[in-house]
Amino acid sequence: MQNFFVAIIFLFTNFSHAFSLSTKDLNRIDSLIHIMTLDEKIGQMTQLCFSTITLDGSKSLDLNVANFRESVIKHNIGSFLSGSDNYDKWFEFITAIQKIAVEETRLKIPLIIGIDHVHGANYISEGTIFPHNISLACSFDQQVVAKMANICAIETAPIGLSWNFAPVLDVGKNPYWPRFYETFGEDPFLCSEMGKAYIKAYEGCKDILPVKLSACAKHFIGYSDPKYGYDRSPSEIPSQVIWEFFVPPFKAAFDAGVKTVMINSGELNGEAVHGSKFLLDTLLRQRLGFKGLVVSDIKDIERLELMHKTVENQKEGTFRSVDAGIDMYMACNSYVFIRDMRELVAEGRISMKRIDESVYRILKLKFELGLFDNPYPSKQLLSNVNQTKNQIEAREVAEESIVLLKNDGILPLSKGKKILISGLGANSKGMLNGPWSFDWLGAPEQLQPHSMNTLYESIQNKFGAKNVKYVELEGISCEKDKKQFLNAAQNSDIIVLAIGEKPYSEFMGNINDLTLDKIQLNLMDVAIKTGKPVVVILLEGRPRVFTEQADQINSILFAGYPGIMGADAIVNILSGSVNPSAKLAFTYPLSVGHVSPYYNKPSEYNIYWKNNPIRKNLFPFGHGLSYTTFEYDKLELSDTLLTEENQEITATVTVRNKGKRFGKEAVLWYVSDETGTISRPVKLLKYFEKIELKQGEEKKVKFTIKINEHLSYPDKNGCQILENGFFKIAVGTLEKRFYLNK
Ligand code: BGC
């Protein structure tokens, strides 16, 4: 078999809007840098949390003017982050601080303000909360992500929050990792497509012009597969795997023109990423060609000393990090970075040239976002926010994202049945909005929006209050709970259980066991034993294991954290007013000790266990049911031999809606490389498209296979390898082989 390397691949051509500044603005940046003092430059490189300038040190926006003046006038701080409040408070607060920044500081440089609007405008009391990324990915529809990003931009822009720390582009390979739900799932192509859709819709939002916003691709790189599952703990990932599975979403984001990148707080192969010149300079800047701004994650220079213990003190950490390539330090609540930077410059260890590179990128971003022309919130944009319309769209997005995992025919629920609803998420708004909603961990129940429905309320609205009974139980932990539940079950026809995980963020969600907790398993067991049909709705951030129960439950929905309209969306699916169309963006594990993504190659199994197949997962990646059935037919290839570099094969398949109602089907195309010098995954997703089909309708769906894009793979140095031989294309239940002989 002939091997050859495709020339180094990563040519980054699509930075058009990153370079769209006028010569006048570029000259203004140069002049500013020319007259800035060292302290002014270091101040621009420092980002503080709003909690350092609020009256009570919380995220509520009551300004401590004296503290703020000290931070911008004495310390020259150029950026802030965080905060949570209503529109009026945000408006007043940002107006006040920008006014001081542009009127009272020597150089009148506006602030750039960062926020984690990771699933809608989740830090504005009136904001529309969408499902988290893991659910958006289950829609297998880039338009769904774009819709969320667009509304998030429309709701964020009016109050001058120019910089959004989203999207997360870490690949969700490890469900123990407590940030799993922030990812677009386990597949690098899916993450890339969804990330691109987000960035284009957010940074390119036309509805907010002349205001412009920046996204932030985070967290570069290798954060999401920590060996032992804990947040911010070491990952050990071979470099070939980094190139094939972790780099593509970031590369796609750079191609889409993302303006900023945030760094992984953890360690990769023994290197604390914040101090790694190899990862931040050689890989990110030189190999991947990223030209935008690199921001640290929160307090991560301190962590080089305190957590990773790769430096003896913070000053050394500052040196490592800035030398490696950090442009802005998210110091949060400390000025130590400023002191250390001054000393490092005085000692000649960090040059003015190095500082100027970062300051240039920061000022350039501020110019690109139009902050120098207008740093203030906009009343006009605020008046354009249509909360009612946005919430309808949030419901539609949730409907596209909820996966019907199992259904023995009990769903859709028929009218007039008596429903018993119970479980952790049955009457909770927090379990729908999830974490990063008004608060980092999710707001307490009493602070959730009054207007939104819980599942219990939505079910009552749909099926009639007299048909619905609610038993308030998080699970069954004693005889009394059991009795209460069984009593209520007696007069019911169907039991609906909202099972899952209370909201958690980052390290607060670390666990040692993926199994659902005992009292929720008990609740399912007791419900199953009644002999009545049981429907389980999973409200969770990662796939918690409940295999024994899942096998006996009639119908299961994965709803993740579906957001402010999540209850209505779930109920529309339960009732059948909406036909579910989402598919799993991750593999739902069967057991806690065996968690492997769909493309994993169980080599021995392939050869020896053909007649003794093992069950590999509870539900595979790409699994999702509908209330109608789709048939795949006539998979055809325009050619079965590829011999020239520019040659393409067009694959077509006919998809037919065989059922009795309208439905949407995500058509997933996989390619397998049958033989590879480096052992190849069993199959890899290369293209997907969501189509709509009326009852009885059929459509031809097309995928064009391109040699370099779809058939090559990276080696451990990131050089693409293209190998002659057989490949397989698979869609639905069909597959076909073709041969590459270049
Ligand atoms: C998270 C980031 C987030 C930052 C600012 C950190 O703890 O890791 O994802 O953007 O906080 O809130």
Side-chain angles (χ1 to χ4, degrees), residues 657-722:
N657 181 349
K658 282 204 334 179
K660 294 201 167 51
R661 54 176 296 170
F662 166 87
K664 294 185 187 177
E665 168 73 346
V667 179
L668 314 184
W669 294 86
Y670 296 94
V671 171
S672 315
D673 182 350
E674 290 192 1
T675 318
T677 309
I678 297 171
S679 172
R680 305 304 301 130
V682 280
K683 58 178 187 175
L684 281 175
L685 184 71
K686 294 290 178 182
Y687 181 66
F688 59 87
E689 187 180 343
K690 202 162 186 181
I691 55 167
E692 299 186 350
L693 290 171
K694 291 188 217 106
Q695 174 187 352
E697 194 186 1
E698 64 174 42
K699 272 187 188 159
K700 255 193 183 176
V701 184
K702 198 166 87 174
F703 165 44
T704 305
I705 306 164
K706 297 182 179 158
I707 294 189
N708 286 334
E709 194 178 331
H710 299 121
L711 307 183
S712 69
Y713 64 94
D715 69 5
K716 66 178 192 308
N717 299 313
C719 296
Q720 293 297 102
I721 300 174
L722 186 63

Side-chain angles (χ1 to χ4, degrees), residues 422-425 431 471-485 495 497-502 513-528 534 536 544-546 549 553:
S422 188
L424 191 59
M431 288 285 289
V471 177
E472 191 179 345
L473 283 176
E474 291 194 356
I476 289 185
S477 55
C478 59
E479 271 308 305
K480 188 172 140 266
D481 293 349
K482 189 171 166 184
K483 252 200 191 134
Q484 188 193 357
F485 183 81
I495 299 171
L497 299 179
I499 298 291
E501 295 183 301
K502 285 189 183 157
D513 186 350
L514 210 51
T515 319
L516 261 176
D517 50 286
K518 191 121 183 44
I519 65 164
Q520 297 200 72
L521 295 176
N522 283 346
L523 177 60
M524 286 191 268
D525 285 336
V526 170
I528 291 164
V534 181
V536 160
R544 298 300 293 263
V545 171
F546 67 116
Q549 290 72 19
I553 279 160

Side-chain angles (χ1 to χ4, degrees), residues 528-548:
I528 291 164
K529 280 215 186 95
T530 62
K532 314 225 169 187
V534 181
V535 178
V536 160
I537 294 149
L538 296 167
L539 297 170
E540 56 185 7
R542 57 195 150 192
R544 298 300 293 263
V545 171
F546 67 116
T547 301
E548 221 180 290

Side-chain angles (χ1 to χ4, degrees), residues 81 116 165 179 218-219 232 262 297-298 330 506:
L81 82 149
D116 290 287
F165 300 136
R179 307 190 72 168
K218 69 185 188 183
H219 311 77
R232 288 180 162 82
M262 191 188 291
D297 201 344
I298 203 158
M330 200 187 278
E506 304 182 39

Side-chain angles (χ1 to χ4, degrees), residues 12 51 111 153 158 183 196 223 264 273 293 343 372 378 380 427 470 491 507 512 544 549 551 603 648 650 681 704 711:
F12 288 81
S51 52
L111 302 164
T183 75
K196 244 174 16 194
Y223 185 25
N264 164 13
V273 183
L293 187 155
E343 288 181 17
F372 279 88
S378 155
Q380 201 203 318
N427 199 23
Y470 167 58
N491 302 320
F507 55 87
N512 295 321
R544 298 300 293 263
Q549 290 72 19
D551 285 346
S603 55
E648 296 173 350
T650 305
T704 305
L711 307 183

